[in-house]
Amino acid sequence: FPLLYHVESLGLDLTYWTDIDLHANPQLLGNHRCLFSLGHDEYWSSSMRTGAQFFSDGGGNLAFLGANACYRQIRLQPTSVGPDRLQVCYKSAAEDPIVSQDPAQTTVNWNQPPVNKPESTLIGSTYQSVGAQADMVVTDSSSWFFDGCGLADGSVLPKVIVGEYDRYVPSLPGPSNVDVLAHSPIPGQANWSDLTYYTNSAKGGVLASGSAYFVYRLANSVAMPPNIVPRPIPGETDVLLRAMENLYAHFGAGPAGATVPSSGNWTTVYSGAAAQKRSPVPTNAA
């Protein structure tokens, strides 16, 4: 709601659809300049993943404004109610009867065999764990994303990282030109949440917030009960909303890499052993 409220209030050209629409008609992405994935967008079908990748490879922009996105492959099957009404998710290759006939459709985590397509190859970052309660720490205040926000390197935005979180892991498959715009330590977990951005050869841009709670920190309305949508935070909500306006401007104009290509600044926050550390096994994925 906070992001949709913001976009609608700015009068931007917005189209709503569901994951079922992305699954059934991924070609419709070609009518748009960017796709926003919101919140906890964990379960993706092969059609969804292929469609988003094709869109990005053609210069379309993707924004993952949650965490744990595109983490587990599912299948959608018809029922007596209609097409794509049954979501199939065994979570174990040994249990999925399709594994011997069509292994690429097996409902395991995307990075597991026999699928072997880590989400990092699309998103840039990868899922880490749950239970985060952390502040966002800005590490590249000069980025286009933070234009006009009045931030400096080291600026802290309280309680933006909550629940599930992602980070960039240099040793995993995926783009090597990732910019880490915020690198936030997670207390008690010896890990980080990263706000990342990269551009591809077609100049498509991909931004990932690295936090499942990010969209809730955009709340700028009192129209919803506070136990559903949090109240704005003075000095923080306005800053994040300005950053989002920068995102809308570049992602809505066309391939973002044409105006704001990524430089691969991840080496400023990851080096030595940290750069080689592989993603830990998540403690939980709902």
Side-chain angles (χ1 to χ4, degrees), residues 62-66 119-120 122-126 136-137 139-140 143-146 161 166-170 175 177-184 192-199 205-211 214 247 251 262 265-266 269-270:
L62 304 172
F64 294 90
L65 300 182
E119 73 268 27
S120 54
L122 175 67
I123 301 172
S125 60
T126 192
M136 177 175 282
V137 180
T139 51
D140 187 4
S143 167
W144 60 271
F145 183 71
F146 293 123
I161 318 298
D166 301 346
R167 77 171 176 96
Y168 178 59
V169 181
N177 62 329
V178 170
D179 290 340
V180 177
L181 311 184
H183 181 63
S184 310
W192 302 271
S193 165
D194 291 334
L195 172 63
T196 61
Y197 172 69
Y198 80 90
T199 52
V206 181
L207 183 129
S209 72
S211 170
F214 183 83
L247 180 64
F251 274 34
S262 64
N265 78 356
W266 63 266
V269 296
Y270 289 112

Side-chain angles (χ1 to χ4, degrees), residues 72-90:
R72 183 169 284 124
Q73 179 167 235
I74 52 94
R75 296 193 301 275
L76 290 166
Q77 297 179 176
T79 71
S80 58
V81 178
D84 302 326
R85 300 302 297 172
L86 176 64
Q87 177 174 299
V88 179
C89 184
Y90 284 92

Side-chain angles (χ1 to χ4, degrees), residues 96-263:
D96 193 342
I98 206 173
V99 67
S100 59
Q101 297 97 26
D102 190 358
Q105 297 297 318
T106 306
T107 63
V108 292
N109 297 351
W110 277 99
N111 65 348
Q112 293 178 330
V115 178
N116 299 315
K117 293 177 64 176
E119 73 268 27
S120 54
T121 61
L122 175 67
I123 301 172
S125 60
T126 192
Y127 173 59
Q128 295 299 291
S129 191
V130 298
Q133 294 285 337
D135 303 332
M136 177 175 282
V137 180
V138 175
T139 51
D140 187 4
S141 59
S142 66
S143 167
W144 60 271
F145 183 71
F146 293 123
D147 280 351
C149 292
L151 299 173
D153 289 357
S155 291
V156 173
L157 299 174
K159 300 179 180 178
V160 176
I161 318 298
V162 177
E164 294 183 301
Y165 64 96
D166 301 346
R167 77 171 176 96
Y168 178 59
V169 181
S171 58
L172 290 182
S176 60
N177 62 329
V178 170
D179 290 340
V180 177
L181 311 184
H183 181 63
S184 310
I186 307 299
Q189 296 196 23
N191 209 340
W192 302 271
S193 165
D194 291 334
L195 172 63
T196 61
Y197 172 69
Y198 80 90
T199 52
N200 60 29
S201 59
K203 302 188 185 305
V206 181
L207 183 129
S209 72
S211 170
Y213 203 74
F214 183 83
V215 167
Y216 290 99
R217 280 289 171 253
L218 305 178
N220 194 31
S221 167
V222 295
M224 301 289 280
N227 62 322
I228 297 176
V229 176
R231 292 292 182 251
I233 300 176
E236 177 171 309
T237 302
D238 53 334
V239 169
L240 291 175
L241 289 176
R242 173 53 195 264
M244 291 303 300
E245 290 181 16
N246 296 332
L247 180 64
Y248 306 147
H250 286 287
F251 274 34
T259 54
V260 286
S262 64
S263 62

Side-chain angles (χ1 to χ4, degrees), residues 18-55:
T18 69
D19 286 353
I20 303 299
D21 296 317
L22 174 56
H23 167 83
N25 297 291
Q27 73 280 1
L28 294 181
L29 279 173
N31 298 331
H32 305 278
R33 294 178 176 174
C34 52
L35 169 67
F36 285 80
S37 163
L38 307 180
H40 184 191
D41 194 8
E42 178 177 344
Y43 300 92
W44 281 49
S45 70
S46 176
S47 178
M48 294 169 63
R49 174 79 179 260
T50 301
Q53 187 72 66
F54 184 82
F55 177 63

